[in-house]
Every structure is written in structure tokens, then in C-alpha cells.
Amino acid sequence: MLATNRVVHHGAAHMDIKKGEDNMDSKEFKFGNSTVIIHSPLVHMSKTERQEWYDREWKNGNKVLKGIVDAVQECLQSSH
């Protein structure tokens, strides 16, 4: 197994924004012993709604979305 240690630098600083308990757009997933909780209204959208959101945000120049895409593409390119 090939192990690669990499750091992906993103231009924007991380912001931890706490949400109120009554405003929880989240969904929990379990993978083996790990629990992943996604806090986003996207988790409750249909596939079509998510695609519309993605297209709209991409056209509007959403920097976070573009940073995520860049990081994924960089990881995919380096894995070949």
C-alpha cells in the first residue's frame, strides 16, 4: 500500500460557526467506527436541487466551492 502525506492549502481561513439547536440542518452517517455529521441544508435536498444549487453557486463564483473542487482535482491528479 502506498501512503502519501499531503497538505492542501486553501486561501481562506477556516471559520467555525456554531448553529443554534433549533436551526440544525444536519445528517449523520456511520462508516465502521466513524461517525460523520454534515451540517448543511444540502443534505436534505434532492439530487436535482443539489445540482441546481451547485450550478448557481459555481456561476456566482462561490470561493469555498471552487476551493473544494480544486482540492479534489489536485488529489485525483496526484493519485495517478
Side-chain angles (χ1 to χ4, degrees), residues 4-67:
T4 304
N5 293 324
R6 296 178 7 111
V7 175
V8 177
H9 297 281
H10 188 279
H14 171 76
M15 293 190 308
D16 185 16
I17 301 171
K18 300 213 182 264
K19 293 180 139 191
E21 292 297 321
D22 58 344
N23 188 20
M24 292 299 288
D25 287 325
S26 64
K27 192 168 186 178
E28 184 174 299
F29 299 92
K30 294 206 179 269
F31 301 98
N33 292 332
S34 300
T35 301
V36 176
I37 302 173
I38 299 175
H39 298 281
S40 171
L42 291 170
V43 297
H44 299 295
M45 293 181 187
S46 68
K47 184 176 181 176
T48 302
E49 290 171 323
R50 283 192 306 271
Q51 185 63 51
E52 290 170 355
W53 177 90
Y54 179 90
D55 292 342
R56 183 175 57 251
E57 292 300 310
W58 191 263
K59 287 177 188 172
N60 289 337
N62 183 318
K63 291 180 182 180
V64 173
L65 179 60
K66 290 188 178 217

